[in-house]
mmCIF file of all heavy atoms in Angstrom:
data_model
loop_
_atom_site.group_PDB
_atom_site.id
_atom_site.type_symbol
_atom_site.label_atom_id
_atom_site.label_comp_id
_atom_site.label_asym_id
_atom_site.label_seq_id
_atom_site.Cartn_x
_atom_site.Cartn_y
_atom_site.Cartn_z
ATOM 1 N N PRO Q 50 6.828 -0.002 -9.600
ATOM 2 C CA PRO Q 50 7.218 -1.384 -9.333
ATOM 3 C C PRO Q 50 5.991 -2.154 -8.784
ATOM 4 O O PRO Q 50 5.060 -1.547 -8.226
ATOM 5 C CB PRO Q 50 8.304 -1.273 -8.283
ATOM 6 C CG PRO Q 50 8.082 0.036 -7.606
ATOM 7 C CD PRO Q 50 7.504 0.930 -8.668
ATOM 8 N N VAL Q 104 -19.770 -13.462 21.539
ATOM 9 C CA VAL Q 104 -18.758 -12.454 21.274
ATOM 10 C C VAL Q 104 -18.910 -11.950 19.828
ATOM 11 O O VAL Q 104 -19.435 -12.643 18.942
ATOM 12 C CB VAL Q 104 -17.350 -12.970 21.524
ATOM 13 C CG1 VAL Q 104 -17.219 -13.448 22.967
ATOM 14 C CG2 VAL Q 104 -16.983 -14.076 20.575
ATOM 15 N N PHE Q 119 -13.947 -5.819 8.399
ATOM 16 C CA PHE Q 119 -15.242 -5.532 7.824
ATOM 17 C C PHE Q 119 -16.063 -6.827 7.880
ATOM 18 O O PHE Q 119 -15.614 -7.863 7.410
ATOM 19 C CB PHE Q 119 -15.170 -5.098 6.347
ATOM 20 C CG PHE Q 119 -16.468 -4.965 5.667
ATOM 21 C CD1 PHE Q 119 -17.409 -4.027 6.089
ATOM 22 C CD2 PHE Q 119 -16.838 -5.799 4.647
ATOM 23 C CE1 PHE Q 119 -18.660 -3.929 5.523
ATOM 24 C CE2 PHE Q 119 -18.082 -5.713 4.028
ATOM 25 C CZ PHE Q 119 -18.993 -4.785 4.457
ATOM 26 N N TYR Q 124 -27.013 -13.498 8.055
ATOM 27 C CA TYR Q 124 -28.182 -13.463 8.884
ATOM 28 C C TYR Q 124 -28.040 -12.378 9.934
ATOM 29 O O TYR Q 124 -26.978 -12.142 10.471
ATOM 30 C CB TYR Q 124 -28.376 -14.825 9.599
ATOM 31 C CG TYR Q 124 -28.496 -15.972 8.656
ATOM 32 C CD1 TYR Q 124 -27.615 -17.054 8.737
ATOM 33 C CD2 TYR Q 124 -29.468 -16.029 7.646
ATOM 34 C CE1 TYR Q 124 -27.681 -18.133 7.854
ATOM 35 C CE2 TYR Q 124 -29.530 -17.070 6.730
ATOM 36 C CZ TYR Q 124 -28.653 -18.121 6.891
ATOM 37 O OH TYR Q 124 -28.755 -19.180 5.990
ATOM 38 N N ARG Q 136 -28.055 -10.427 16.787
ATOM 39 C CA ARG Q 136 -27.383 -11.725 16.537
ATOM 40 C C ARG Q 136 -27.115 -11.810 15.026
ATOM 41 O O ARG Q 136 -28.008 -11.743 14.228
ATOM 42 C CB ARG Q 136 -28.256 -12.864 16.974
ATOM 43 C CG ARG Q 136 -28.614 -12.846 18.469
ATOM 44 C CD ARG Q 136 -29.613 -13.943 18.853
ATOM 45 N NE ARG Q 136 -29.109 -15.264 18.439
ATOM 46 C CZ ARG Q 136 -29.725 -16.055 17.589
ATOM 47 N NH1 ARG Q 136 -30.853 -15.709 17.027
ATOM 48 N NH2 ARG Q 136 -29.208 -17.269 17.285
ATOM 49 N N GLU Q 152 -18.440 -3.142 1.133
ATOM 50 C CA GLU Q 152 -19.866 -3.329 0.788
ATOM 51 C C GLU Q 152 -20.227 -4.771 1.025
ATOM 52 O O GLU Q 152 -19.431 -5.707 0.782
ATOM 53 C CB GLU Q 152 -20.116 -2.966 -0.674
ATOM 54 C CG GLU Q 152 -21.570 -3.003 -1.080
ATOM 55 C CD GLU Q 152 -21.829 -2.405 -2.429
ATOM 56 O OE1 GLU Q 152 -20.890 -1.839 -3.024
ATOM 57 O OE2 GLU Q 152 -22.968 -2.471 -2.894
ATOM 58 N N VAL Q 206 -22.326 -18.315 -8.460
ATOM 59 C CA VAL Q 206 -21.209 -17.968 -9.333
ATOM 60 C C VAL Q 206 -21.624 -16.863 -10.352
ATOM 61 O O VAL Q 206 -20.881 -15.949 -10.587
ATOM 62 C CB VAL Q 206 -20.710 -19.255 -10.096
ATOM 63 C CG1 VAL Q 206 -19.825 -18.851 -11.244
ATOM 64 C CG2 VAL Q 206 -19.980 -20.164 -9.142
ATOM 65 N N GLY Q 218 -9.454 -3.030 -12.159
ATOM 66 C CA GLY Q 218 -8.214 -3.195 -11.407
ATOM 67 C C GLY Q 218 -8.060 -4.594 -10.833
ATOM 68 O O GLY Q 218 -8.876 -5.473 -11.074
ATOM 69 N N GLN Q 240 -13.341 -18.305 -16.007
ATOM 70 C CA GLN Q 240 -13.242 -17.509 -17.246
ATOM 71 C C GLN Q 240 -12.696 -16.110 -16.908
ATOM 72 O O GLN Q 240 -12.033 -15.485 -17.781
ATOM 73 C CB GLN Q 240 -14.578 -17.432 -17.929
ATOM 74 C CG GLN Q 240 -15.083 -18.796 -18.409
ATOM 75 C CD GLN Q 240 -16.480 -18.689 -19.003
ATOM 76 O OE1 GLN Q 240 -16.961 -17.574 -19.367
ATOM 77 N NE2 GLN Q 240 -17.176 -19.815 -19.157
ATOM 78 N N ARG Q 243 -8.348 -16.860 -12.101
ATOM 79 C CA ARG Q 243 -7.632 -18.126 -12.166
ATOM 80 C C ARG Q 243 -7.348 -18.599 -10.753
ATOM 81 O O ARG Q 243 -7.160 -17.802 -9.819
ATOM 82 C CB ARG Q 243 -6.344 -18.018 -12.982
ATOM 83 C CG ARG Q 243 -5.157 -17.297 -12.342
ATOM 84 C CD ARG Q 243 -4.015 -17.269 -13.278
ATOM 85 N NE ARG Q 243 -2.761 -16.861 -12.665
ATOM 86 C CZ ARG Q 243 -2.452 -15.560 -12.429
ATOM 87 N NH1 ARG Q 243 -3.320 -14.626 -12.756
ATOM 88 N NH2 ARG Q 243 -1.269 -15.272 -11.861
#
Side-chain angles (χ1 to χ4, degrees):
V104 302
F119 172 65
Y124 303 123
R136 302 173 55 242
E152 186 169 354
V206 166
Q240 296 176 16
R243 75 181 191 282

